[in-house]
Amino acid sequence: MTSISQRFESLRKNNQCALIPFITAGDPNLESTAQALQILDSNGADFIELGVPYSDPLADGPVIQAAATRALKKETRLAHVLEMAQEITPSLRSPLILFTYYNPILNLGIQPFLKQIAASGIKGLVVPDLPLEEASELLNSATQVGIETTLLVTPTSSKERIEAISQQSQGFIYLVSVTGVTGVRSQLQGRVKDVLKEIRNVTNKPIGIGFGISSPEQARQALNWGADAVIVGSAFVQRLAEGTPQQGLETIKTFCQELKASISVANIR
C-alpha cells in the first residue's frame, strides 16, 4: 500500500480531487467494518478514515458519538480494530488513516501505539485533540515507522497558527469546515474558502476539507474552492447504521459512487 503523500502526488498528477470517507470501527460490528472498507475502496475512495470508538469524543457530533457508543457496547477496542485492519489492508488500494483521540495513545505509550498501528498496515493518523504545541514527539516518532500524522486547521485559526500547522502537518492538512463538532450541515461556511487560500499561500501540501460535508453538491463546492480532498464522515456513518448491516453496506456503496462522481469532473478552480 502506498503512503498518504505518494497517493496525493499521484492524484495531483492526474488533476484529481481525493475522496476520503470516514466510518466508525465496530459499528454495527467489526465484520461489517471490514466489508465496508472493501466496498469503499472499490467504489471511489482514495483514502479511508477509520475512527476508533472512544467514550468521550469531543470533536464528534451526535451521529458519530452514537456510533462510537454502539461499538463500545459491543466491546470494540483498539486491539480488535488493529487486528481487523491487519487482515484487510493487504487487499486495499486506499491507504487507511486512523482517527483516534490522544488519551488511548498515552495509555498505551506513544512508541508501542505507533508500532502496533504500523504493523496493522495503517498509513496515516489524525488526533483531533492533540494541540500543535504538544505534537512534536508523536510527529517525529510516527515518521520513523512510516506513519504520516495530519494536523487540523480551523476557520478561527490565526495566520501564525496556520503557518505553523502547515509546516508540521504530514501527508496533508485537514481543514475543518465548521466551528464545532462533526456532523451533517446544510451548507459550508464561506470562511473556509478564505482559510484555504491562506493555507495555500504558505504551503504546497495537499489540503482536505472535512467536518460537515454531507452531499455531492457540498463535495463539489469544496473542490471548486480548491480542495485537494473532501472528507465525509457523519453522512457515511449514518447511512451505514440504517436498516440491516447489508442494507447499510449497499447504501454506502451508492453514496460513495455519487460523491466520487461529483468531484471527478475536470477541476474548476
Side-chain angles (χ1 to χ4, degrees):
M1 186 184 293
T2 60
S3 71
I4 306 295
S5 294
Q6 288 169 336
R7 175 55 58 83
F8 267 116
E9 184 178 352
S10 175
L11 289 164
R12 275 184 163 179
K13 285 180 180 178
N14 292 293
N15 201 33
Q16 284 293 312
C17 180
L19 173 62
I20 310 180
F22 169 100
I23 59 173
T24 300
D27 184 49
N29 52 60
L30 277 176
E31 293 76 13
S32 294
T33 300
Q35 289 179 274
L37 292 175
Q38 292 176 314
I39 286 171
L40 295 172
D41 183 61
S42 301
N43 288 278
D46 297 290
F47 308 84
I48 305 173
E49 211 173 18
L50 183 63
V52 178
Y54 182 57
S55 57
D56 191 22
L58 298 178
D60 294 319
V63 171
I64 296 177
Q65 285 187 23
T69 299
R70 291 191 295 267
L72 289 172
K73 284 182 178 179
K74 295 183 179 179
E75 301 187 349
T76 305
R77 300 293 182 264
L78 176 63
H80 306 139
V81 175
L82 297 183
E83 183 180 345
M84 180 274 298
Q86 188 170 21
E87 293 177 359
I88 202 73
T89 49
S91 65
L92 299 180
R93 173 189 58 87
S94 308
L96 279 189
I97 301 168
L98 198 70
F99 184 104
T100 185
Y101 289 85
Y102 198 40
N103 194 51
I105 300 175
L106 289 178
N107 285 341
L108 190 58
I110 291 176
Q111 299 294 341
F113 169 80
L114 291 171
K115 289 179 181 178
Q116 288 185 29
I117 69 170
S120 72
I122 302 294
K123 293 298 182 181
L125 181 62
V126 175
V127 186
D129 60 342
L130 176 64
L132 175 66
E133 294 76 11
E134 300 175 20
S136 58
E137 183 180 358
L138 181 63
L139 288 166
N140 295 334
S141 299
T143 301
Q144 295 172 14
V145 294
I147 302 291
E148 293 177 285
T149 305
T150 295
L151 302 178
L152 287 74
V153 169
T154 73
T156 58
S157 296
S158 66
K159 289 185 178 181
E160 293 76 17
R161 192 165 186 81
I162 287 172
E163 184 171 1
I165 291 172
S166 298
Q167 289 175 350
Q168 296 295 318
S169 190
Q170 301 166 351
F172 67 105
I173 295 158
Y174 196 132
L175 173 53
V176 176
S177 68
V178 295
T179 304
V181 298
T182 63
V184 173
R185 301 294 198 282
S186 60
Q187 60 184 12
L188 302 182
Q189 291 184 8
R191 166 70 178 149
V192 175
K193 182 179 181 180
D194 298 328
V195 177
L196 194 149
K197 289 180 179 178
E198 291 178 19
I199 299 172
R200 196 72 78 193
N201 287 336
V202 297
T203 184
N204 63 355
K205 291 176 183 176
I207 304 167
I209 298 180
F211 281 49
I213 296 178
S214 59
S215 69
E217 293 76 22
Q218 290 173 336
R220 184 55 191 249
Q221 184 178 40
L223 166 69
N224 290 341
W225 283 350
D228 297 286
V230 292
I231 305 158
V232 182
S234 294
F236 273 106
V237 173
Q238 189 171 42
R239 284 166 171 78
L240 189 55
E242 293 173 348
T244 66
Q246 191 56 45
Q247 288 172 330
L249 292 170
E250 287 296 325
T251 302
I252 66 167
K253 175 182 177 180
T254 302
F255 185 51
C256 192
Q257 292 172 342
E258 292 171 349
L259 286 169
K260 186 59 180 179
S262 72
I263 59 174
S264 291
V265 240
N267 290 359
I268 303 173
R269 297 299 192 211

